[in-house]
Amino acid sequence: METTTVQSDRELFIKIVISNWELQNKRLNGLLDKLSDEQVAAEVSPNRNSGVYLLGHLIAVSDGMIPLLGLGEKLYPELENIFIKNADKSGLEKPALEELRQYWNHVNNRLTSYFSEMQPEDWFTAHTAISAEDFAREPHRNKLNILLNRTNHEAYHLGQLIFLK
Amino acid sequence: METTTVQSDRELFIKIVISNWELQNKRLNGLLDKLSDEQVAAEVSPNRNSGVYLLGHLIAVSDGMIPLLGLGEKLYPELENIFIKNADKSGLEKPALEELRQYWNHVNNRLTSYFSEMQPEDWFTAHTAISAEDFAREPHRNKLNILLNRTNHEAYHLGQLIFLK
């Protein structure tokens, strides 16, 4: 009986975090559907990042969750250098916007598929970038925390991308 | 033993959500400390909301959590009309920025104080704006979900306020 409670509690936590991640994705997808390629190519505000850069950045960060959560290999490892390690005006060649739109959907579909295969207890284990000592001291820094943190990160940039409208 | 596990699971999850909320507050406070009153009074991007409006909006939304989580009465109920129901250019008189800076700290300190008094199980109960039927069907829409959702909302506007720099 108590084991059932532990399990159902965990499933509830996971549902809270995943549903908030899905909500941000839904909002961003709704925005992307409304914007023309020209609009996404523009800067979100004068002398700030372009929509293309921010979309690439969000793809690279979400893709990075795959190895960070121990789920597998990144789909687009080449994006890290272009969209995380370097700034918008780096001069590095970016994938075409049409490709980025596809990558964004592909990464999210892949994550959704991985999440559906995870067991509730998996979410409460350490992510792959924290040491055993740190995790023993700070057990809240688990995989679920990563998804929650990345959801906030997506919301942050969504607040900027909305200015493309 | 299993009861301990239920309790510690819940405490862990509450810690994840509160620590992410605190992280957003820390980032916003760090930004506000760096910005002059003139900078906060400016629009975050041409023809978009001013920093003053967004700060007032975030105060009103955070203040709204007090009754929504069943913790008490709002500290500044008058802000809802100015900063939630109406837009920046409504012509309604806004409190002075110096006052808003104080309100923001006051609301966050009050919430922190309330949170410290809540029992872990309180977070898993219905917030005050969901019907018993809806909550029975969707038990993940609890008080913790509200704080997580409002944290994403803060991150969204923080992504805009950062342009005031």
Side-chain angles (χ1 to χ4, degrees):
Chain A
M1 185 59 190
E2 284 293 357
T3 304
T4 308
T5 308
V6 172
Q7 190 71 355
S8 66
D9 261 14
R10 287 185 164 177
E11 286 172 5
L12 200 68
F13 305 155
I14 293 163
K15 190 173 173 69
I16 290 172
V17 177
I18 291 181
S19 67
N20 275 277
W21 173 69
E22 288 173 339
L23 181 63
Q24 296 305 319
N25 285 344
K26 190 178 163 186
R27 286 179 180 161
L28 183 47
N29 291 337
L31 176 65
L32 287 173
D33 285 347
K34 280 195 207 101
L35 298 174
S36 68
D37 286 359
E38 291 67 33
Q39 285 176 300
V40 182
E43 292 175 338
V44 296
S45 187
N47 302 314
R48 301 291 178 174
N49 289 318
S50 64
V52 169
Y53 180 81
L54 289 179
L55 178 58
H57 179 69
L58 289 173
I59 296 164
V61 169
S62 287
D63 199 19
M65 280 201 280
I66 298 176
L68 200 52
L69 300 182
L71 300 169
E73 300 289 319
K74 286 183 188 178
L75 299 179
Y76 310 108
E78 69 278 12
L79 299 187
E80 180 172 354
N81 191 47
I82 309 170
F83 294 111
I84 297 182
K85 293 192 175 167
N86 284 283
D88 195 359
K89 279 82 175 178
S90 64
L92 293 172
E93 196 185 347
K94 296 179 177 68
L97 180 51
E98 194 181 321
E99 286 180 284
L100 289 176
R101 287 180 185 267
Q102 290 170 2
Y103 293 178
W104 174 244
N105 289 328
H106 193 187
V107 166
N108 284 328
N109 290 339
R110 183 62 66 92
L111 283 170
T112 298
S113 168
Y114 278 130
F115 294 169
S116 71
E117 291 162 14
M118 284 174 76
Q119 296 301 308
E121 56 270 26
D122 294 341
W123 285 103
F124 296 87
T125 60
H127 58 77
T128 60
I130 186 172
S131 70
E133 297 78 37
D134 284 351
F135 188 65
R137 202 166 43 235
E138 302 183 289
H140 67 287
R141 294 175 59 191
N142 55 31
K143 291 176 180 173
L144 206 54
N145 201 346
I146 291 288
L147 182 59
L148 198 155
N149 178 280
R150 297 303 183 274
T151 300
N152 279 317
H153 175 259
E154 184 176 337
Y156 178 94
H157 289 301
L158 180 57
Q160 302 172 336
L161 287 162
I162 202 83
F163 290 163
L164 295 170
K165 278 214 287 193
Chain B
M1 184 60 190
E2 283 292 0
T3 305
T4 308
T5 309
V6 172
Q7 192 70 354
S8 66
D9 261 16
R10 287 182 166 179
E11 286 173 6
L12 198 68
F13 192 64
I14 292 163
K15 189 173 173 72
I16 290 173
V17 177
I18 292 182
S19 67
N20 275 277
W21 174 70
E22 288 173 339
L23 180 63
Q24 296 305 318
N25 285 345
K26 190 178 164 188
R27 287 180 180 161
L28 184 46
N29 291 336
L31 176 65
L32 287 172
D33 285 348
K34 280 195 208 101
L35 297 174
S36 68
D37 285 1
E38 292 67 32
Q39 285 176 300
V40 182
E43 292 174 337
V44 295
S45 187
N47 301 313
R48 302 291 177 172
N49 289 318
S50 64
V52 169
Y53 180 81
L54 289 179
L55 178 58
H57 178 69
L58 289 173
I59 297 164
V61 168
S62 287
D63 198 20
M65 281 201 281
I66 298 175
L68 199 52
L69 301 182
L71 300 169
E73 300 289 319
K74 285 184 189 179
L75 300 179
Y76 310 107
E78 69 279 11
L79 300 188
E80 181 173 353
N81 191 47
I82 309 171
F83 295 111
I84 296 183
K85 292 190 174 168
N86 284 284
D88 195 0
K89 279 81 177 180
S90 64
L92 293 171
E93 196 184 346
K94 296 179 178 68
L97 180 51
E98 194 181 321
E99 286 180 283
L100 289 176
R101 287 178 184 268
Q102 291 169 0
Y103 293 179
W104 174 244
N105 289 327
H106 193 187
V107 166
N108 284 327
N109 290 339
R110 182 62 64 92
L111 283 170
T112 298
S113 168
Y114 278 130
F115 294 169
S116 71
E117 290 163 14
M118 285 174 75
Q119 296 302 308
E121 55 270 27
D122 294 341
W123 284 104
F124 297 90
T125 60
H127 57 79
T128 61
I130 186 171
S131 70
E133 296 79 37
D134 283 350
F135 188 64
R137 201 166 44 235
E138 302 184 290
H140 67 287
R141 293 174 61 191
N142 55 31
K143 291 176 179 172
L144 207 52
N145 202 345
I146 291 287
L147 181 58
L148 198 157
N149 179 280
R150 296 304 184 274
T151 301
N152 278 317
H153 176 257
E154 184 175 338
Y156 178 94
H157 288 302
L158 180 57
Q160 301 172 337
L161 287 162
I162 202 82
F163 290 163
L164 293 170
K165 279 214 287 194

